[in-house]
Amino acid sequence: MNESNPIILDKGLVRMSSRPSVTWTSVIATATALIGVATVLLHLMGVVIHQTYLYAWGVNSDQFPKSVDWLLIRGYYGVWNGAGMLLLTFLKNFHWVVLASAILVLYARLLTGSWNPFLVAEKKLGWFKRLPVWVQKILTLAAIGTWLAILLVSVTVVMFFLVGIPATVGGIIGKEFAATNVKDFSKGCQESRSNCIQLLRRGEPMGTGYVLDSSSTHLAYFDIGLKRARVIPRHEIETLTVRAPAQPSGPVQ
C-alpha cells in the first residue's frame, strides 16, 4: 500500500501540472492586445462618424482632417450613443430579447451536455465500414474538404462582421447626429439648443447659421437663410455668437 502512494501522488501531480496556469505576463499581453484592438475600432468608428455626418450635409470631409485623439474621442462618444440606442431597442422589443436569451441558453446546454453527435454518427453510419477502402478514402477526403470550406467561410463571416460592425454603427450614429441637428436647427437661433453664429468678413456680415465643422483653412456651417450647408475659407473670418449665454437663475455666491 505504501509503495503505491507515490504513484498516486505522481498521477495527482501530473493532473495538477497539466492545468493551464494564468500568469501576469499572459494577463498583460492579453490586455495590451485588447487595448490595441479597441483603439483601432474606436478610431475606425470616429472616422466613419465624421465622414457620414459631413456627407449628410453635403460637405467633403477631406477639407476637415482630424487628429487621432479627436477621432478616438468621437468614437468613444459614438459607442456610448450606440449603447443607449441599443438599450432603447432592447426595451422596446423585450419579449424578443427574452426569447433569444432562452434559445441561447438551450443551445449552450446542448453544447455542454452529454450528447455527442460524433458517437451517434459512428453508430448510425456502420455501413461506412463495409464500403471498399478506396470509397472510404474518397468520402473521408470529401468530408474533410467540406468541413474546411465551412470553417473558412465561418471565419470569413466572423471577420467581416468584426470589421463591418464598427463601420456600420458609426454610419448609423453619424446619420443620427445629422438628423438630430436638423431638428434642432429648424427651431431657429433663439430656440435651438446649439449656438447660432453670425459670420463677418472685415466687419461685413456674410451669413448666419450653425457651425458644422472647421479646420485651419475652412469653415463649414449651415446657413439658415439659404437652408443649406456652406464651406468657406477661414481667411479674415470672424464669428459672433447670436444668442447670449444663459445667465444663472440663482444669486452668484
Side-chain angles (χ1 to χ4, degrees):
M1 295 295 292
N2 294 333
E3 294 179 356
S4 62
N5 289 336
I7 298 177
I8 297 175
L9 291 176
D10 290 342
K11 291 182 179 179
L13 291 175
V14 170
R15 287 195 297 269
M16 292 178 62
S17 61
S18 63
R19 297 175 182 175
S21 59
V22 179
T23 62
W24 282 109
T25 303
S26 61
V27 172
I28 294 175
T30 303
T32 303
L34 292 177
I35 291 175
V37 172
T39 301
V40 172
L41 294 180
L42 285 178
H43 184 270
L44 172 62
M45 185 173 293
V47 171
V48 175
I49 291 175
H50 180 234
Q51 292 178 347
T52 306
Y53 175 76
L54 292 182
Y55 180 79
W57 294 103
V59 176
N60 184 8
S61 61
D62 293 338
Q63 295 177 310
F64 304 93
K66 299 298 181 183
S67 61
V68 175
D69 56 346
W70 189 96
L71 293 173
L72 289 176
I73 294 173
R74 176 63 70 175
Y76 167 78
Y77 281 110
V79 172
W80 180 72
N81 188 276
M85 295 169 56
L86 186 62
L87 178 60
L88 292 177
T89 303
F90 281 166
L91 293 178
K92 292 179 180 178
N93 303 276
F94 186 74
H95 55 290
W96 292 112
V97 175
V98 173
L99 179 60
S101 300
I103 293 175
L104 288 176
V105 170
L106 292 175
Y107 180 69
R109 179 66 183 88
L110 181 64
L111 292 179
T112 58
S114 59
W115 179 71
N116 191 335
F118 296 101
L119 294 178
V120 175
E122 185 178 355
K123 294 179 181 179
K124 296 295 183 180
L125 298 180
W127 55 268
F128 181 78
K129 298 180 180 180
R130 295 192 295 269
L131 295 175
V133 177
W134 63 273
V135 176
Q136 294 183 19
K137 292 182 178 180
I138 293 177
L139 293 179
T140 302
L141 291 175
I144 294 174
T146 302
W147 280 112
L148 288 177
I150 294 174
L151 178 63
L152 180 61
V153 172
S154 301
V155 171
T156 305
V157 170
V158 171
M159 292 180 62
F160 174 79
F161 279 104
L162 287 177
V163 176
I165 286 177
T168 302
V169 173
I172 294 174
I173 294 173
K175 293 178 181 178
E176 184 67 21
F177 284 161
T180 301
N181 283 346
V182 168
K183 295 179 181 178
D184 188 43
F185 296 168
S186 63
K187 298 177 182 178
C189 290
Q190 299 302 323
E191 300 295 334
S192 64
R193 183 183 58 185
S194 304
N195 287 328
C196 191
I197 63 167
Q198 184 179 21
L199 282 77
L200 304 175
R201 171 172 288 171
R202 298 176 183 176
E204 296 294 329
M206 291 184 55
T208 303
Y210 300 88
V211 175
L212 301 177
D213 206 342
S214 64
S215 65
S216 59
T217 58
H218 291 82
L219 175 69
Y221 78 103
F222 178 76
D223 193 311
I224 60 175
L226 298 176
K227 302 297 182 181
R228 65 182 62 184
R230 295 180 62 184
V231 178
I232 59 176
R234 293 201 61 167
H235 181 62
E236 297 182 350
I237 293 295
E238 179 185 3
T239 60
L240 298 177
T241 302
V242 174
R243 186 178 57 200
Q247 299 298 324
S249 57
V252 178
Q253 300 295 332

